[in-house]
Short mmCIF file of all heavy atoms in Angstrom, two decimals:
data_model
loop_
_atom_site.label_atom_id
_atom_site.label_comp_id
_atom_site.label_asym_id
_atom_site.label_seq_id
_atom_site.Cartn_x
_atom_site.Cartn_y
_atom_site.Cartn_z
N THR A 1 -197.06 -2.22 -89.43
CA THR A 1 -196.58 -3.23 -88.48
C THR A 1 -197.18 -3.10 -87.09
O THR A 1 -197.19 -4.06 -86.33
CB THR A 1 -195.05 -3.14 -88.33
OG1 THR A 1 -194.71 -1.90 -87.71
CG2 THR A 1 -194.35 -3.25 -89.69
N TRP A 2 -197.63 -1.88 -86.72
CA TRP A 2 -198.08 -1.59 -85.36
C TRP A 2 -197.02 -2.04 -84.35
O TRP A 2 -197.34 -2.46 -83.24
CB TRP A 2 -199.44 -2.24 -85.06
CG TRP A 2 -200.58 -1.49 -85.68
CD1 TRP A 2 -200.57 -0.76 -86.83
CD2 TRP A 2 -201.92 -1.42 -85.17
NE1 TRP A 2 -201.81 -0.23 -87.07
CE2 TRP A 2 -202.66 -0.62 -86.08
CE3 TRP A 2 -202.54 -1.96 -84.06
CZ2 TRP A 2 -204.01 -0.34 -85.89
CZ3 TRP A 2 -203.89 -1.68 -83.88
CH2 TRP A 2 -204.62 -0.88 -84.79
N ASP A 3 -195.77 -1.99 -84.76
CA ASP A 3 -194.62 -2.33 -83.92
C ASP A 3 -194.64 -3.78 -83.45
O ASP A 3 -194.02 -4.12 -82.45
CB ASP A 3 -194.54 -1.39 -82.71
CG ASP A 3 -193.20 -1.49 -82.00
OD1 ASP A 3 -192.18 -1.58 -82.70
OD2 ASP A 3 -193.18 -1.52 -80.75
N LYS A 4 -195.30 -4.64 -84.16
CA LYS A 4 -195.26 -6.07 -83.82
C LYS A 4 -193.96 -6.70 -84.32
O LYS A 4 -193.63 -7.81 -83.92
CB LYS A 4 -196.47 -6.78 -84.41
CG LYS A 4 -197.79 -6.32 -83.79
CD LYS A 4 -198.99 -6.97 -84.45
CE LYS A 4 -200.28 -6.46 -83.83
NZ LYS A 4 -201.48 -7.01 -84.51
N SER A 5 -193.26 -6.00 -85.17
CA SER A 5 -191.95 -6.42 -85.67
C SER A 5 -191.17 -5.16 -86.00
O SER A 5 -191.73 -4.10 -86.29
CB SER A 5 -192.11 -7.28 -86.93
OG SER A 5 -190.85 -7.50 -87.56
N ASP A 6 -189.84 -5.27 -85.95
CA ASP A 6 -188.98 -4.17 -86.41
C ASP A 6 -188.99 -4.03 -87.92
O ASP A 6 -188.56 -3.00 -88.44
CB ASP A 6 -187.53 -4.43 -85.98
CG ASP A 6 -187.24 -3.98 -84.55
OD1 ASP A 6 -188.14 -3.43 -83.90
OD2 ASP A 6 -186.10 -4.19 -84.09
N TYR A 7 -189.48 -5.05 -88.62
CA TYR A 7 -189.19 -5.17 -90.05
C TYR A 7 -190.44 -5.07 -90.92
O TYR A 7 -191.51 -5.58 -90.59
CB TYR A 7 -188.51 -6.51 -90.33
CG TYR A 7 -187.33 -6.78 -89.42
CD1 TYR A 7 -187.41 -7.73 -88.41
CD2 TYR A 7 -186.15 -6.06 -89.56
CE1 TYR A 7 -186.34 -7.96 -87.57
CE2 TYR A 7 -185.07 -6.28 -88.72
CZ TYR A 7 -185.17 -7.24 -87.73
OH TYR A 7 -184.11 -7.46 -86.89
N LEU A 8 -190.26 -4.41 -92.07
CA LEU A 8 -191.29 -4.37 -93.10
C LEU A 8 -190.60 -4.46 -94.46
O LEU A 8 -189.70 -3.68 -94.77
CB LEU A 8 -192.11 -3.07 -93.02
CG LEU A 8 -193.22 -2.93 -94.07
CD1 LEU A 8 -194.30 -3.99 -93.86
CD2 LEU A 8 -193.83 -1.53 -94.03
N TRP A 9 -191.04 -5.45 -95.26
CA TRP A 9 -190.56 -5.58 -96.63
C TRP A 9 -191.34 -4.66 -97.56
O TRP A 9 -192.57 -4.63 -97.53
CB TRP A 9 -190.73 -7.02 -97.12
CG TRP A 9 -189.72 -8.01 -96.61
CD1 TRP A 9 -189.91 -8.95 -95.65
CD2 TRP A 9 -188.39 -8.18 -97.09
NE1 TRP A 9 -188.77 -9.69 -95.47
CE2 TRP A 9 -187.81 -9.25 -96.34
CE3 TRP A 9 -187.61 -7.54 -98.06
CZ2 TRP A 9 -186.51 -9.69 -96.55
CZ3 TRP A 9 -186.31 -7.98 -98.27
CH2 TRP A 9 -185.76 -9.04 -97.52
N TYR A 10 -190.62 -3.92 -98.39
CA TYR A 10 -191.19 -3.13 -99.48
C TYR A 10 -190.70 -3.79 -100.79
O TYR A 10 -189.49 -3.81 -101.05
CB TYR A 10 -190.68 -1.70 -99.46
CG TYR A 10 -191.14 -0.83 -98.31
CD1 TYR A 10 -190.67 -1.04 -97.02
CD2 TYR A 10 -192.02 0.23 -98.53
CE1 TYR A 10 -191.07 -0.22 -95.96
CE2 TYR A 10 -192.42 1.06 -97.49
CZ TYR A 10 -191.94 0.83 -96.21
OH TYR A 10 -192.34 1.65 -95.17
N THR A 11 -191.62 -4.30 -101.60
CA THR A 11 -191.23 -5.03 -102.81
C THR A 11 -191.98 -4.48 -104.02
O THR A 11 -193.20 -4.27 -103.97
CB THR A 11 -191.53 -6.53 -102.67
OG1 THR A 11 -190.79 -7.06 -101.57
CG2 THR A 11 -191.14 -7.29 -103.93
N THR A 12 -191.25 -4.24 -105.10
CA THR A 12 -191.87 -3.81 -106.35
C THR A 12 -191.11 -4.43 -107.52
O THR A 12 -190.04 -5.03 -107.33
CB THR A 12 -191.90 -2.27 -106.46
OG1 THR A 12 -192.81 -1.88 -107.48
CG2 THR A 12 -190.51 -1.69 -106.74
N TYR A 13 -191.68 -4.27 -108.71
CA TYR A 13 -191.09 -4.88 -109.91
C TYR A 13 -190.81 -3.81 -110.95
O TYR A 13 -191.59 -2.86 -111.11
CB TYR A 13 -192.04 -5.95 -110.48
CG TYR A 13 -192.25 -7.10 -109.52
CD1 TYR A 13 -193.24 -7.03 -108.55
CD2 TYR A 13 -191.44 -8.23 -109.58
CE1 TYR A 13 -193.43 -8.07 -107.65
CE2 TYR A 13 -191.63 -9.28 -108.69
CZ TYR A 13 -192.62 -9.19 -107.72
OH TYR A 13 -192.78 -10.23 -106.84
N VAL A 14 -189.70 -3.98 -111.66
CA VAL A 14 -189.29 -3.06 -112.71
C VAL A 14 -189.07 -3.85 -113.98
O VAL A 14 -188.30 -4.84 -113.99
CB VAL A 14 -187.99 -2.32 -112.32
CG1 VAL A 14 -187.50 -1.46 -113.47
CG2 VAL A 14 -188.22 -1.46 -111.08
N ASN A 15 -189.71 -3.44 -115.05
CA ASN A 15 -189.54 -4.12 -116.33
C ASN A 15 -188.47 -3.40 -117.15
O ASN A 15 -188.50 -2.18 -117.32
CB ASN A 15 -190.86 -4.14 -117.11
CG ASN A 15 -190.77 -5.02 -118.34
OD1 ASN A 15 -190.58 -6.23 -118.22
ND2 ASN A 15 -190.92 -4.43 -119.52
N ILE A 16 -187.52 -4.16 -117.62
CA ILE A 16 -186.40 -3.62 -118.41
C ILE A 16 -186.54 -4.11 -119.85
O ILE A 16 -186.56 -5.32 -120.11
CB ILE A 16 -185.05 -4.05 -117.81
CG1 ILE A 16 -184.89 -3.50 -116.40
CG2 ILE A 16 -183.90 -3.62 -118.72
CD1 ILE A 16 -184.89 -1.99 -116.30
N ASN A 17 -186.65 -3.15 -120.76
CA ASN A 17 -186.77 -3.49 -122.18
C ASN A 17 -185.43 -3.92 -122.76
O ASN A 17 -184.36 -3.56 -122.26
CB ASN A 17 -187.30 -2.28 -122.98
CG ASN A 17 -188.72 -1.94 -122.60
OD1 ASN A 17 -189.52 -2.83 -122.29
ND2 ASN A 17 -189.04 -0.65 -122.61
N SER A 18 -185.49 -4.64 -123.83
CA SER A 18 -184.27 -5.18 -124.45
C SER A 18 -183.39 -4.10 -125.05
O SER A 18 -182.20 -4.31 -125.29
CB SER A 18 -184.64 -6.20 -125.54
OG SER A 18 -185.46 -5.57 -126.53
N ASN A 19 -183.95 -2.91 -125.29
CA ASN A 19 -183.15 -1.84 -125.91
C ASN A 19 -182.46 -0.93 -124.91
O ASN A 19 -181.89 0.10 -125.30
CB ASN A 19 -184.02 -1.01 -126.85
CG ASN A 19 -185.15 -0.29 -126.11
OD1 ASN A 19 -185.38 -0.54 -124.93
ND2 ASN A 19 -185.85 0.61 -126.81
N GLU A 20 -182.53 -1.25 -123.63
CA GLU A 20 -181.86 -0.41 -122.63
C GLU A 20 -180.34 -0.47 -122.86
O GLU A 20 -179.76 -1.56 -122.95
CB GLU A 20 -182.19 -0.87 -121.21
CG GLU A 20 -183.58 -0.50 -120.75
CD GLU A 20 -183.74 0.97 -120.44
OE1 GLU A 20 -182.73 1.71 -120.44
OE2 GLU A 20 -184.89 1.42 -120.22
N GLN A 21 -179.71 0.68 -122.94
CA GLN A 21 -178.30 0.75 -123.26
C GLN A 21 -177.41 0.08 -122.21
O GLN A 21 -176.37 -0.49 -122.54
CB GLN A 21 -177.88 2.22 -123.43
CG GLN A 21 -178.41 2.88 -124.68
CD GLN A 21 -177.91 2.19 -125.94
OE1 GLN A 21 -176.71 1.90 -126.08
NE2 GLN A 21 -178.84 1.89 -126.85
N PHE A 22 -177.84 0.13 -120.93
CA PHE A 22 -176.95 -0.42 -119.89
C PHE A 22 -176.79 -1.93 -120.03
O PHE A 22 -175.81 -2.51 -119.52
CB PHE A 22 -177.46 -0.05 -118.49
CG PHE A 22 -178.66 -0.83 -118.02
CD1 PHE A 22 -178.54 -2.13 -117.52
CD2 PHE A 22 -179.93 -0.26 -118.07
CE1 PHE A 22 -179.65 -2.82 -117.08
CE2 PHE A 22 -181.03 -0.95 -117.63
CZ PHE A 22 -180.91 -2.25 -117.14
N LEU A 23 -177.74 -2.60 -120.72
CA LEU A 23 -177.60 -4.04 -120.91
C LEU A 23 -176.39 -4.37 -121.77
O LEU A 23 -175.78 -5.44 -121.63
CB LEU A 23 -178.87 -4.61 -121.56
CG LEU A 23 -180.14 -4.57 -120.70
CD1 LEU A 23 -181.35 -5.00 -121.53
CD2 LEU A 23 -179.99 -5.46 -119.47
N LYS A 24 -176.01 -3.44 -122.64
CA LYS A 24 -174.85 -3.63 -123.50
C LYS A 24 -173.58 -3.06 -122.87
O LYS A 24 -172.50 -3.65 -122.98
CB LYS A 24 -175.09 -2.97 -124.86
CG LYS A 24 -176.28 -3.54 -125.62
CD LYS A 24 -176.52 -2.77 -126.92
CE LYS A 24 -177.75 -3.31 -127.66
NZ LYS A 24 -178.03 -2.55 -128.90
N SER A 25 -173.72 -1.91 -122.21
CA SER A 25 -172.53 -1.23 -121.68
C SER A 25 -172.07 -1.79 -120.34
O SER A 25 -170.90 -1.64 -119.97
CB SER A 25 -172.81 0.27 -121.52
OG SER A 25 -173.78 0.49 -120.49
#
């Protein structure tokens, strides 16, 4: 940012498979 703003977005992606137990529980 070089302090041009207070804010910085950090964005990432997570792939969740259909067999993940938490999807059912």
Side-chain angles (χ1 to χ4, degrees):
T1 67
W2 283 30
D3 194 40
K4 294 176 182 177
S5 170
D6 276 358
Y7 310 108
L8 180 65
W9 283 104
Y10 292 71
T11 300
T12 196
Y13 296 86
V14 174
N15 189 64
I16 298 298
N17 293 326
S18 59
N19 63 350
E20 286 287 352
Q21 289 299 313
F22 75 79
L23 293 173
K24 300 176 182 178
S25 67

